[in-house]
Amino acid sequence: MELYAIIRRGGWSSSDELAEAAARSTAAGEEMASEVHWIRSYVLDEGGGALGTVCVYEATSPEAIRKHAARAVLPVDEVVPIADTVVVRPDPAPVLD
């Protein structure tokens, strides 16, 4: 499997919608465990109340990412292979509403 960043722009209008999408993504990922592993996501404030995400996945191919997204009813604007990881500091604690 390779690492990919998935960019999803303005796909949700609330945290509740995003939570529902995360549940669908988890279920689809369990069905496709040999092809796709969701590692983490960063939620983007797209302005005007819209939320987007940058997600990191392990997957067998970009096509597997798109297949997973279709099953989970998730937007996919771009799938980009991750060449390397540079960690300067660990991620900060999650921001809670």
Side-chain angles (χ1 to χ4, degrees):
M1 286 202 197
E2 301 294 326
L3 277 178
Y4 295 92
I6 296 85
I7 301 166
R8 308 178 200 277
R9 301 294 256 170
W12 304 276
S13 60
S14 71
S15 295
D16 289 341
E17 282 185 7
L18 189 55
E20 291 170 9
R24 292 192 310 270
S25 180
T26 299
E30 289 171 358
E31 294 171 4
M32 298 179 63
S34 65
E35 297 176 75
V36 174
H37 297 151
W38 179 18
I39 306 298
R40 73 179 58 196
S41 294
Y42 297 95
V43 179
L44 309 175
D45 180 346
E46 301 273 25
L51 301 173
T53 59
V54 174
C55 303
V56 177
Y57 278 74
E58 281 184 317
T60 56
S61 67
E63 293 76 21
I65 297 282
R66 293 185 186 283
K67 179 179 169 184
H68 169 268
R71 281 190 183 184
V73 192
L74 301 173
V76 176
D77 293 304
E78 196 171 350
V79 177
V80 183
I82 295 176
D84 202 355
T85 302
V86 177
V87 178
V88 176
R89 292 179 186 85
D91 286 345
V95 176
L96 303 176
D97 291 332

